Coordinates of all heavy atoms in Angstrom, one line a residue:
G1 N 0.8 -1.2 0.0 CA 0.0 0.0 0.0 C 0.8 1.3 0.0 O 0.2 2.4 0.1
K2 N 2.1 1.2 -0.1 CA 3.0 2.3 0.0 C 3.9 2.4 -1.3 O 4.1 1.4 -1.9 CB 3.9 2.4 1.2 CG 3.1 2.5 2.5 CD 4.1 2.6 3.7 CE 3.3 2.8 5.0 NZ 4.2 2.9 6.1
Q3 N 4.3 3.6 -1.6 CA 5.2 3.7 -2.7 C 6.6 3.2 -2.4 O 7.0 3.2 -1.2 CB 5.3 5.2 -3.2 CG 4.0 5.8 -3.7 CD 4.2 7.1 -4.2 OE1 5.2 7.5 -4.9 NE2 3.2 8.0 -4.0
R4 N 7.4 2.8 -3.4 CA 8.7 2.4 -3.2 C 9.6 3.6 -2.7 O 9.5 4.7 -3.3 CB 9.3 1.8 -4.5 CG 10.7 1.2 -4.3 CD 11.1 0.4 -5.6 NE 10.1 -0.6 -5.9 CZ 10.3 -1.5 -6.9 NH1 11.3 -1.4 -7.6 NH2 9.4 -2.5 -7.0
E5 N 10.4 3.4 -1.7 CA 11.2 4.5 -1.1 C 12.6 4.1 -1.1 O 13.0 2.9 -1.0 CB 10.7 4.8 0.3 CG 10.9 3.7 1.3 CD 10.5 4.1 2.7 OE1 10.6 5.4 3.0 OE2 10.2 3.3 3.5
L6 N 13.5 5.1 -1.2 CA 14.9 4.9 -1.2 C 15.4 4.7 0.2 O 15.0 5.4 1.1 CB 15.6 6.1 -1.8 CG 17.1 6.1 -1.8 CD1 17.7 5.0 -2.7 CD2 17.7 7.5 -2.2
V7 N 16.2 3.7 0.4 CA 16.7 3.4 1.7 C 18.1 3.9 1.9 O 18.4 4.6 2.9 CB 16.7 1.8 2.0 CG1 17.4 1.5 3.3 CG2 15.3 1.3 2.0
A8 N 19.0 3.6 0.9 CA 20.4 4.0 1.0 C 21.1 3.9 -0.3 O 20.6 3.1 -1.1 CB 21.1 3.2 2.1
T9 N 22.1 4.6 -0.5 CA 22.9 4.6 -1.7 C 24.4 4.5 -1.3 O 24.8 5.0 -0.3 CB 22.7 5.7 -2.7 OG1 23.1 7.0 -2.0 CG2 21.2 5.8 -3.1
I10 N 25.2 4.0 -2.2 CA 26.6 4.0 -2.0 C 27.3 4.0 -3.4 O 26.9 3.4 -4.3 CB 27.1 2.7 -1.3 CG1 28.6 2.7 -1.0 CG2 26.7 1.4 -2.0 CD1 29.0 1.7 0.0
T11 N 28.3 4.9 -3.5 CA 29.0 5.1 -4.7 C 30.2 4.0 -4.8 O 30.5 3.4 -3.8 CB 29.6 6.5 -4.8 OG1 30.7 6.7 -3.8 CG2 28.6 7.5 -4.6
S12 N 30.8 4.0 -5.9 CA 31.9 3.1 -6.1 C 33.1 3.4 -5.1 O 33.9 2.6 -4.8 CB 32.4 3.1 -7.5 OG 32.9 4.3 -7.9
G13 N 33.2 4.7 -4.7 CA 34.2 5.2 -3.8 C 33.8 5.0 -2.4 O 34.6 5.3 -1.5
G14 N 32.6 4.5 -2.1 CA 32.2 4.2 -0.7 C 31.4 5.3 0.0 O 31.2 5.2 1.2
N15 N 31.1 6.4 -0.8 CA 30.3 7.5 -0.2 C 28.8 7.0 0.0 O 28.3 6.4 -1.0 CB 30.3 8.7 -1.0 CG 31.7 9.3 -1.1 OD1 32.4 9.4 -0.1 ND2 32.2 9.7 -2.3
T16 N 28.3 7.2 1.1 CA 26.9 6.7 1.4 C 25.9 7.8 1.7 O 26.3 8.9 2.2 CB 27.0 5.7 2.6 OG1 27.5 6.4 3.8 CG2 27.9 4.6 2.3
N17 N 24.7 7.5 1.5 CA 23.6 8.4 1.8 C 22.4 7.5 2.3 O 22.2 6.4 1.8 CB 23.1 9.2 0.7 CG 24.0 10.4 0.4 OD1 24.0 11.4 1.1 ND2 24.8 10.2 -0.7
Y18 N 21.7 8.0 3.3 CA 20.6 7.2 3.9 C 19.3 8.1 4.0 O 19.4 9.3 4.1 CB 21.0 6.8 5.3 CG 22.2 5.9 5.4 CD1 23.4 6.4 5.5 CD2 22.0 4.5 5.3 CE1 24.6 5.6 5.6 CE2 23.1 3.7 5.4 CZ 24.4 4.2 5.5 OH 25.5 3.4 5.6
A19 N 18.2 7.4 4.0 CA 17.0 8.0 4.3 C 17.1 8.5 5.8 O 17.6 7.8 6.6 CB 15.8 7.1 4.2
D20 N 16.6 9.8 6.0 CA 16.8 10.4 7.3 C 16.3 9.5 8.4 O 16.9 9.4 9.5 CB 16.1 11.7 7.3 CG 16.9 12.8 6.5 OD1 18.0 12.6 6.2 OD2 16.2 13.8 6.2
S21 N 15.2 8.9 8.2 CA 14.6 8.1 9.3 C 15.3 6.8 9.6 O 15.1 6.2 10.6 CB 13.1 7.7 8.9 OG 13.1 6.9 7.7
L22 N 16.2 6.4 8.7 CA 17.0 5.1 8.9 C 18.4 5.3 9.4 O 19.1 4.3 9.7 CB 16.9 4.3 7.6 CG 15.6 4.0 7.1 CD1 15.7 3.3 5.8 CD2 14.8 3.2 8.1
K23 N 18.9 6.6 9.4 CA 20.2 6.8 9.9 C 20.5 6.3 11.3 O 19.7 6.5 12.2 CB 20.6 8.3 9.8 CG 20.6 8.8 8.4 CD 21.0 10.3 8.4 CE 21.1 10.9 7.0 NZ 21.4 12.3 7.0
G24 N 21.6 5.6 11.4 CA 21.9 5.0 12.7 C 21.5 3.6 12.9 O 22.0 2.9 13.8
R25 N 20.6 3.1 12.1 CA 20.1 1.7 12.2 C 20.6 0.9 11.0 O 20.8 -0.3 11.2 CB 18.6 1.7 12.3 CG 18.0 2.3 13.6 CD 16.6 1.8 13.8 NE 15.7 2.2 12.8 CZ 15.0 1.4 12.0 NH1 15.1 0.1 12.2 NH2 14.2 1.9 11.0
F26 N 20.6 1.5 9.9 CA 21.0 0.7 8.7 C 22.3 1.2 8.2 O 22.7 2.3 8.3 CB 19.9 1.0 7.5 CG 18.6 0.3 7.8 CD1 18.2 -0.2 9.0 CD2 17.7 0.2 6.7 CE1 17.0 -0.8 9.2 CE2 16.5 -0.4 6.9 CZ 16.1 -0.9 8.1
T27 N 23.1 0.2 7.6 CA 24.4 0.5 7.1 C 24.5 -0.2 5.7 O 24.3 -1.4 5.6 CB 25.5 0.0 8.0 OG1 25.4 0.6 9.3 CG2 26.9 0.4 7.4
I28 N 24.8 0.6 4.7 CA 25.1 0.1 3.4 C 26.6 0.0 3.1 O 27.4 0.8 3.5 CB 24.4 1.0 2.3 CG1 24.5 0.3 0.9 CG2 25.0 2.3 2.2 CD1 23.6 1.0 -0.1
S29 N 27.0 -1.1 2.5 CA 28.4 -1.3 2.1 C 28.4 -2.1 0.8 O 27.4 -2.6 0.3 CB 29.1 -2.1 3.2 OG 28.5 -3.3 3.4
R30 N 29.6 -2.2 0.3 CA 29.8 -2.9 -1.0 C 31.1 -3.6 -1.1 O 32.1 -3.1 -0.5 CB 29.5 -2.0 -2.2 CG 30.5 -0.9 -2.4 CD 30.1 0.1 -3.4 NE 30.1 -0.5 -4.8 CZ 29.7 0.1 -5.9 NH1 29.0 1.3 -5.8 NH2 29.8 -0.5 -7.0
D31 N 31.2 -4.6 -2.0 CA 32.4 -5.2 -2.3 C 32.5 -5.1 -3.8 O 31.9 -5.8 -4.6 CB 32.4 -6.7 -1.9 CG 33.7 -7.4 -2.2 OD1 34.5 -7.0 -3.0 OD2 34.0 -8.4 -1.4
N32 N 33.3 -4.2 -4.3 CA 33.4 -3.9 -5.7 C 33.9 -5.1 -6.5 O 33.5 -5.3 -7.6 CB 34.3 -2.7 -6.0 CG 33.7 -1.4 -5.5 OD1 32.5 -1.3 -5.4 ND2 34.5 -0.4 -5.1
A33 N 34.8 -5.8 -5.9 CA 35.4 -7.0 -6.6 C 34.3 -8.1 -6.9 O 34.4 -8.8 -7.8 CB 36.5 -7.6 -5.8
K34 N 33.3 -8.1 -6.0 CA 32.3 -9.1 -6.2 C 31.0 -8.5 -6.8 O 30.0 -9.2 -6.9 CB 31.9 -9.7 -4.8 CG 33.1 -10.5 -4.2 CD 32.7 -11.1 -2.9 CE 33.8 -11.9 -2.3 NZ 33.4 -12.5 -1.0
N35 N 31.0 -7.2 -7.1 CA 29.8 -6.5 -7.6 C 28.6 -6.8 -6.7 O 27.5 -7.1 -7.1 CB 29.5 -7.0 -9.0 CG 30.5 -6.4 -10.0 OD1 31.0 -5.3 -9.9 ND2 30.8 -7.2 -11.1
T36 N 28.9 -6.7 -5.4 CA 27.8 -7.0 -4.4 C 27.6 -5.8 -3.4 O 28.6 -5.2 -3.0 CB 28.2 -8.2 -3.6 OG1 28.4 -9.3 -4.5 CG2 27.2 -8.5 -2.5
V37 N 26.4 -5.5 -3.1 CA 26.0 -4.5 -2.2 C 25.3 -5.1 -1.0 O 24.6 -6.1 -1.2 CB 25.2 -3.4 -2.8 CG1 23.9 -3.9 -3.3 CG2 25.0 -2.2 -1.8
Y38 N 25.6 -4.6 0.2 CA 25.0 -5.2 1.4 C 24.2 -4.1 2.1 O 24.4 -2.9 2.0 CB 26.1 -5.7 2.4 CG 27.0 -6.7 1.7 CD1 28.2 -6.3 1.1 CD2 26.7 -8.0 1.7 CE1 29.1 -7.2 0.6 CE2 27.6 -9.0 1.2 CZ 28.8 -8.5 0.6 OH 29.6 -9.4 0.0
L39 N 23.3 -4.6 2.9 CA 22.5 -3.7 3.8 C 22.4 -4.4 5.2 O 21.7 -5.4 5.3 CB 21.1 -3.4 3.2 CG 20.3 -2.4 4.1 CD1 20.9 -1.0 4.0 CD2 18.8 -2.4 3.6
Q40 N 23.1 -3.8 6.1 CA 23.0 -4.3 7.5 C 21.9 -3.6 8.2 O 21.9 -2.3 8.3 CB 24.3 -4.1 8.2 CG 24.3 -4.6 9.7 CD 24.2 -6.1 9.8 OE1 24.9 -6.8 9.1 NE2 23.3 -6.5 10.7
M41 N 20.9 -4.3 8.7 CA 19.8 -3.7 9.3 C 19.7 -4.1 10.8 O 19.6 -5.3 11.1 CB 18.5 -4.1 8.6 CG 18.5 -3.8 7.1 SD 16.9 -4.2 6.4 CE 16.9 -6.0 6.6

């Protein structure tokens, strides 16, 4: 019943941005060698 919302982004250089309401609880990270992104909640 809700629209899709952005949780977090991460650049290839590791710069991150989060939805304001999720800061402090969620962490985004990535492994460039594996082309994999993670979200620790």
Side-chain angles (χ1 to χ4, degrees):
K2 296 184 178 181
Q3 297 187 37
R4 188 170 299 185
E5 64 174 337
L6 178 65
V7 174
T9 63
I10 184 167
T11 69
S12 60
N15 295 317
T16 60
N17 285 284
Y18 299 90
D20 289 341
S21 63
L22 302 178
K23 290 180 179 178
R25 295 196 299 119
F26 288 15
T27 302
I28 189 171
S29 61
R30 65 187 290 171
D31 185 335
N32 290 334
K34 297 180 179 180
N35 288 325
T36 300
V37 62
Y38 305 92
L39 184 68
Q40 179 67 45
M41 304 184 295

